[in-house]
Amino acid sequence: MTLAEIARLAGVSAPTVSKVLNGRAHVAPATRDKVEGLLRDAGYRRRRSAARPRPSGLLELVFHELISLWATEIIRGAENVAREEGLTLVLSESAGRAERGMSWVDGVLTRDPAGVILIMSDLTADQRDRLVSRDVPFVVMDPAGYPADDVPSIGTTNWQGGHSATRHLLDLGHRRIGVIGGPADVLCSRARIDGYRAALETAGVPCDPRLVRHGTFQHEAGRRVGRELLRLPDRPTAIFAGNDVQAMGVYEAAREQGLRIPQDLSVVGFDDLPISAWMGPPLTTVRQPLVEMAETAARLVLDRGRGDTSGMHRVELATRLVVRDSTASRSL
C-alpha cells in the first residue's frame, strides 16, 4: 500500500501521512491515531542504519511523575551513560498534561531520541507498537505492572528486600509490624508487601490485615498512614515503610504522637536515598541500586538501538539491608 493510498483511506493529504510516518508534530491526535493504525496494518516501519546515529543526539527518561526524590538518583545514573556516549539527557512525564494535544509518545517520536527509558509506568500495546514502528528502542525500568514478553525491563529484587526488612525487625523481637506500601496496583509495591508477608509466615507470626496499608510513595502518605497505624489500640512497635520518603512521613507521625525512634518505634525504609543517612536518627533501609539500575537501562537501550539484542531481556539487580539507628530490639 502506498502513502497516497493510506492518505486516501485516512481522508488526509499525503504530506500529513508523511508527517505521521516521520514523527513530526502539528497533526491532530485523532488523525495521528488513524494514520498510525493504517501504517501499522500496511507494515510501514521507518528503519535506519545501525551505524548512523539519530540526528537528535538525545537519551530520554520518561517518568510517570517527576516528583520523587529517587528520581534524582535515576537521573544521575542515566546522565553518567549519556555523558559517555555524547548524548543529551531529556526528561518528560507520562502522567503530565498533554502538551498541545500530544501524548508522551507523540513527544518522543517528535524528538526521535537514541533510546527511551520508561520509569515506573506501564507500556500499552499501542504505545509499544508506535515506538517499534518508528524504530525507537525502549526499556521499562521498575515497571508498574508485569511487562509483556517482548518488552525489555530493568528491576530490583523487591520481594527479597521486603523480606529482609521484615526479617530484621522480627530478629529484633518485634511482632506487631506495620507495613506501608505504595499504590496497590504497582508491581514493586506488591512485591515488597509479599516479602513482608512471607517473612511473617516463616516466623510463625500471624499477619494482621489492620497493619497492612497502602500509600502513594509520597511523604504525606507516610505521615497520614503512619498516624493511622500509631493510633490503633494495639499499635505496631515497628513499621516497614515501602520507600524512604514515606519513612520520613512516619518519623513525623511518630513525633506527633510523642514517640521516640527507635526507643518506642522502629522504622525501616526502602531505597537508601542519600538523605536517609542524615535523618534523625539515620534510617535503616533496604538499598536498591537506583544509579546502577539507570546505568544498566541506558546501556541496554542504546545497545538495542545499535542492533545488539544479545543482552538479557529481564534484568534484576540485588537489594541489601543497610542497618542504621532507626531500629532497636523489642523486649518480649
Side-chain angles (χ1 to χ4, degrees), residues 198-261:
L200 292 179
E201 182 178 358
T202 301
V205 176
C207 181
D208 185 344
R210 295 177 301 165
L211 298 182
V212 179
R213 306 294 176 102
H214 290 279
T216 61
F217 282 145
Q218 300 305 317
H219 174 274
E220 182 54 35
R223 178 185 179 187
R224 172 179 52 80
V225 180
R227 187 185 297 132
E228 293 171 1
L229 288 171
L230 296 177
R231 287 176 177 173
L232 289 173
D234 189 8
R235 70 167 181 82
T237 62
I239 294 178
F240 166 40
N243 68 338
D244 290 351
V245 176
Q246 287 188 150
M248 296 176 195
V250 172
Y251 270 44
E252 192 168 346
R255 283 193 290 269
E256 291 174 354
Q257 299 294 315
L259 300 175
R260 300 165 300 165
I261 299 173

Side-chain angles (χ1 to χ4, degrees), residues 264-282:
D264 304 315
L265 178 72
S266 288
V267 180
V268 179
F270 199 110
D271 283 335
D272 194 24
L273 298 175
I275 196 173
S276 65
W278 299 100
M279 292 169 62

Side-chain angles (χ1 to χ4, degrees), residues 11-327:
V12 299
S13 66
T16 297
V17 174
S18 179
K19 281 184 179 181
V20 174
L21 180 62
N22 290 288
R24 293 198 291 270
H26 310 301
V27 178
T31 300
R32 184 183 298 276
D33 290 344
K34 187 173 184 179
V35 174
E36 286 277 5
L38 290 168
L39 287 169
R40 285 197 298 271
D41 292 344
Y44 274 89
R45 178 176 175 179
R46 183 180 57 180
R47 296 185 181 274
R48 66 186 77 232
S49 167
R52 181 163 61 90
R54 294 179 184 269
S56 68
L58 304 176
L59 175 62
E60 184 148 356
L61 292 180
V62 181
F63 290 87
H64 178 67
E65 289 182 291
L66 192 53
I67 57 176
S68 178
L69 291 175
W70 59 252
T72 303
E73 299 302 290
I74 295 170
I75 293 168
R76 282 179 52 207
E79 174 62 22
N80 289 342
V81 176
R83 191 184 309 113
E84 292 173 4
E85 298 284 343
L87 299 172
T88 299
L89 196 65
V90 176
L91 310 179
S92 59
E93 288 186 330
S94 61
R97 184 175 59 186
E99 185 177 350
R100 297 186 301 276
M102 295 173 63
S103 70
W104 71 265
V105 179
D106 294 323
V108 166
L109 296 180
T110 299
R111 289 183 287 274
D112 194 25
V116 177
I117 304 171
L118 187 65
I119 300 157
M120 212 169 176
S121 297
D122 279 324
L123 187 67
T124 68
D126 178 69
Q127 292 165 348
R128 182 185 68 236
D129 290 346
R130 292 184 66 187
L131 294 173
V132 168
S133 71
R134 301 301 172 78
D135 206 25
V136 177
F138 57 87
V139 170
V140 179
M141 178 177 160
D142 216 359
Y146 290 99
D149 292 340
D150 59 346
V151 175
S153 62
I154 307 294
T156 193
T157 53
N158 288 294
W159 185 95
Q160 184 60 49
H163 189 278
S164 297
T166 311
R167 181 73 260 172
H168 170 66
L169 293 170
L170 289 165
D171 288 345
L172 290 173
H174 295 277
R175 294 299 180 265
R176 295 283 295 170
I177 302 172
V179 62
I180 306 174
D185 59 345
V186 172
L187 181 61
C188 66
S189 172
R190 297 200 306 268
R192 292 169 196 177
I193 291 178
D194 286 346
Y196 156 88
R197 287 193 175 104
L200 292 179
E201 182 178 358
T202 301
V205 176
C207 181
D208 185 344
R210 295 177 301 165
L211 298 182
V212 179
R213 306 294 176 102
H214 290 279
T216 61
F217 282 145
Q218 300 305 317
H219 174 274
E220 182 54 35
R223 178 185 179 187
R224 172 179 52 80
V225 180
R227 187 185 297 132
E228 293 171 1
L229 288 171
L230 296 177
R231 287 176 177 173
L232 289 173
D234 189 8
R235 70 167 181 82
T237 62
I239 294 178
F240 166 40
N243 68 338
D244 290 351
V245 176
Q246 287 188 150
M248 296 176 195
V250 172
Y251 270 44
E252 192 168 346
R255 283 193 290 269
E256 291 174 354
Q257 299 294 315
L259 300 175
R260 300 165 300 165
I261 299 173
Q263 294 90 337
D264 304 315
L265 178 72
S266 288
V267 180
V268 179
F270 199 110
D271 283 335
D272 194 24
L273 298 175
I275 196 173
S276 65
W278 299 100
M279 292 169 62
L283 179 67
T284 294
T285 186
V286 176
R287 182 180 188 273
Q288 64 168 336
L290 293 169
V291 172
E292 293 88 340
M293 289 167 67
E295 289 174 342
T296 302
R299 292 192 175 100
L300 177 59
V301 77
L302 294 176
D303 285 346
R304 294 177 70 84
R306 300 182 184 108
D308 181 3
T309 58
S310 61
M312 295 179 64
H313 202 67
R314 167 67 180 173
V315 179
E316 276 199 350
L317 302 185
T319 56
R320 67 179 177 87
L321 182 69
V322 179
V323 178
R324 296 194 179 101
D325 298 336
S326 66
T327 51

